[in-house]
Amino acid sequence: MRLGRNLRFLLCALRTRLVSGRPIFLSHMITSKCDCMCATCRYWTLGERDEMTMNEVCKMLDEARSAGMTDYIVWGGEPLLRSDLPQVVKHANSIGLDVTLLTNGSRLADRIEEIAGELYGIIVSIDHPEPKMHDKLRRQNGIFDKAVEGIKLAKSFEQLNIFINCVISKANVDQLEEMVKLAERLDVKITFEMMEVVKGYNERLALSREETTSAMQKLIHLKEEGRPIANSIAYFESVGNHSGYVCHVPKVLVTVEWDGKVRVCSTIAEEAKPKGNFELGNVKLEPLSKIFKSEEYEKYVKAAERCCKCYLSYPREIAMIYSFNREAIGNFFSKILR
C-alpha cells in the first residue's frame, strides 16, 4: 500500500509541476483553539471560534481527493483539542490521503493510540532542549515532558514518520546542536523553521541578518555531518545568503482555516489587492476544484510568483524543488519515500 501511494504521489507531483499547476497538499487549520501561549506564535490569541463540523471537513476531504490532492496536513491551534480528530483522520486515510499531524505534544501521549493507525507522519513542536526553557517559551508548565512522552509512545508505531520541529529565534539560536542531539536521543528527525515575525508581537525574538547567516552555517555543517536534519542544505543556503526566490506555494499547497475559508498569505494579499480583502473562497460553499479554477486563484498564483519576502521553509523548499534543484529534490524524496 505504501509503495502504491508513493508512486501515486510521484505521478501527481509531476502532473502538478508540468501540467496542471494545482495543489496536491491540503493544509488544514482544523481549530483555532490552543492550550499554549507561545512567545513566537500568536495563533493562541484567536481563542475558540466557530469551526467546520466533522461532516463538513470530510466533505472537503472528499472534494480534495477528487481534485487530485494526495496529502492532508492537519494543524491548529492544537488539533488534538478536537474530540472528533480520530474520525477525521480515519476518513482522510480511507480515501487515500496521507495524513500528517502537527502538534505541540501536550495531548499526544493521551491520544496517540486513537490516531496512530491513520497517520503517515507526526511533527511535534519543541523549541528548546531544556525542559524549563521550552515550557517558558510555550507558557505551559510540563509541556516539554508531555511532548517527549508522546514521541516515545508514537515510536512504537513503526509506520509513522516522526519529526521534531524547532522554530529558530533569539531564545534558542545558541541551542541548535543541542536540539539535534535531542532528536538523536529520541531517534527521530528534526526540522528547523525560521520564526515568522509578527509586528507588535514577537520582533524582540527575531534574528539579525548576521545571526541568521551564522545559524544557517551551523545547520549546514551539522547536516553535512549526517545528523538527522530533514531540511535541505539548499534551504539553509538560501536563508543564510538572504537569497531571492520565486514563490510557487499556491501551485502546490492550499491552506484552509477552521471556518472553511481558503487562506491567502498576508504578504501576497497585500501586493495582489492592496485596497481591499483578497478572498479565494470557502470550502463550505464551493469545492476546491472550483476555487482553483477561479480568477482570484489565478491572481494569487501570479502575485506569489512576484514574492520572495519570507524565510519560512516550505515556500523556499517548494521554490527550489519547482526549479529542479537537485539537492532539494533528493532531500525531499528521502523524507517521504520509505
Side-chain angles (χ1 to χ4, degrees):
M1 183 177 180
R2 181 76 256 152
L3 177 60
R5 286 196 177 185
N6 285 340
L7 290 173
R8 184 203 69 197
F9 174 83
L10 287 172
L11 290 173
C12 290
L14 287 171
R15 183 186 64 203
T16 290
R17 175 61 182 87
L18 301 174
V19 182
S20 71
R22 294 296 181 240
I24 56 175
F25 292 98
L26 172 58
S27 172
H28 185 203
M29 189 179 182
I30 197 170
T31 182
S32 61
K33 293 181 291 186
C34 193
D35 51 2
C36 287
M37 296 184 292
C38 299
T40 57
C41 166
R42 70 172 184 178
Y43 283 135
W44 63 271
T45 63
L46 293 169
E48 185 172 354
R49 303 195 176 197
D50 289 337
E51 299 169 353
M52 297 170 69
T53 66
M54 185 183 71
N55 287 338
E56 288 171 334
V57 173
C58 290
K59 181 173 181 287
M60 173 189 69
L61 294 173
D62 289 338
E63 292 170 347
R65 187 71 192 92
S66 296
M69 304 187 83
T70 62
D71 286 72
Y72 178 49
I73 305 161
V74 58
W75 57 292
E78 174 46 53
L80 290 172
L81 291 176
R82 278 199 58 146
S83 60
D84 59 4
L85 186 68
Q87 289 82 12
V88 169
V89 297
K90 181 177 182 179
H91 181 75
N93 185 43
S94 72
I95 61 174
L97 292 171
D98 284 338
V99 185
T100 298
L101 173 74
L102 278 64
T103 175
N104 63 32
S106 64
R107 305 194 178 203
L108 185 58
D110 296 332
R111 305 202 65 187
I112 184 62
E113 291 193 6
E114 297 178 79
I115 58 175
E118 312 299 335
L119 299 180
Y120 171 69
I122 295 178
I123 301 173
V124 184
S125 298
I126 300 181
D127 293 329
H128 205 285
E130 298 176 13
K132 287 184 179 179
M133 288 301 300
H134 177 70
D135 292 359
K136 183 178 179 180
L137 285 168
R138 296 274 159 172
R139 297 173 187 160
Q140 185 187 132
N141 291 333
I143 192 169
F144 179 92
D145 291 336
K146 291 176 183 177
V148 169
E149 180 187 4
I151 290 171
K152 289 178 178 178
L153 289 173
K155 287 285 294 177
S156 65
F157 298 90
E158 294 183 359
Q159 92 284 359
L160 283 178
N161 292 293
I162 305 172
F163 300 83
I164 291 171
N165 183 67
C166 175
V167 175
I168 303 174
S169 70
K170 284 186 181 292
N172 62 9
V173 69
D174 60 342
Q175 298 291 319
L176 301 182
E177 185 168 9
E178 293 304 313
M179 284 300 306
V180 174
K181 289 179 180 178
L182 173 63
E184 289 172 333
R185 290 196 298 272
L186 294 171
D187 190 27
V188 298
K189 289 188 176 182
I190 184 168
T191 58
F192 289 94
E193 182 67 82
M194 295 301 295
M195 184 185 76
E196 186 172 8
V197 180
V198 180
K199 291 182 179 179
Y201 182 73
N202 62 8
E203 295 108 319
R204 65 183 179 82
L205 293 173
L207 302 186
S208 67
R209 284 177 65 90
E210 293 76 16
E211 288 173 324
T212 299
T213 298
S214 177
M216 296 303 104
Q217 290 172 345
K218 177 69 173 178
L219 291 173
I220 289 170
H221 176 70
L222 292 170
K223 175 87 174 182
E224 289 176 338
E225 286 183 344
R227 313 291 281 275
I229 298 173
N231 308 80
S232 70
I233 289 176
Y235 166 65
F236 293 142
E237 290 176 339
S238 172
V239 173
N241 295 332
H242 308 280
S243 303
Y245 65 100
V246 177
C247 180
H248 297 288
V249 167
K251 303 170 190 172
V252 178
L253 178 148
V254 64
T255 298
V256 176
E257 296 184 334
W258 59 89
D259 58 358
K261 288 182 181 178
V262 179
R263 171 183 287 194
V264 181
C265 167
S266 58
T267 303
I268 296 172
E270 183 179 345
E271 178 178 338
K273 201 169 184 179
K275 295 184 179 180
N277 293 329
F278 195 97
E279 298 287 343
L280 290 177
N282 190 304
V283 297
K284 293 194 294 186
L285 304 176
E286 54 188 338
L288 283 166
S289 58
K290 184 176 180 180
I291 292 172
F292 294 156
K293 294 177 183 177
S294 69
E295 182 179 345
E296 291 298 288
Y297 205 87
E298 290 298 328
K299 289 180 181 177
Y300 181 37
V301 169
K302 296 300 182 184
E305 291 175 346
R306 299 190 295 271
C307 184
C308 62
K309 295 181 180 179
C310 71
Y311 282 7
L312 298 177
S313 62
Y314 71 94
R316 287 180 178 256
E317 295 277 17
I318 287 172
M320 288 178 288
I321 292 169
Y322 227 77
S323 300
F324 295 110
N325 180 291
R326 185 178 302 176
E327 193 272 332
I329 291 173
N331 186 77
F332 176 73
F333 283 108
S334 73
K335 291 190 294 184
I336 66 165
L337 300 181
R338 292 172 56 119

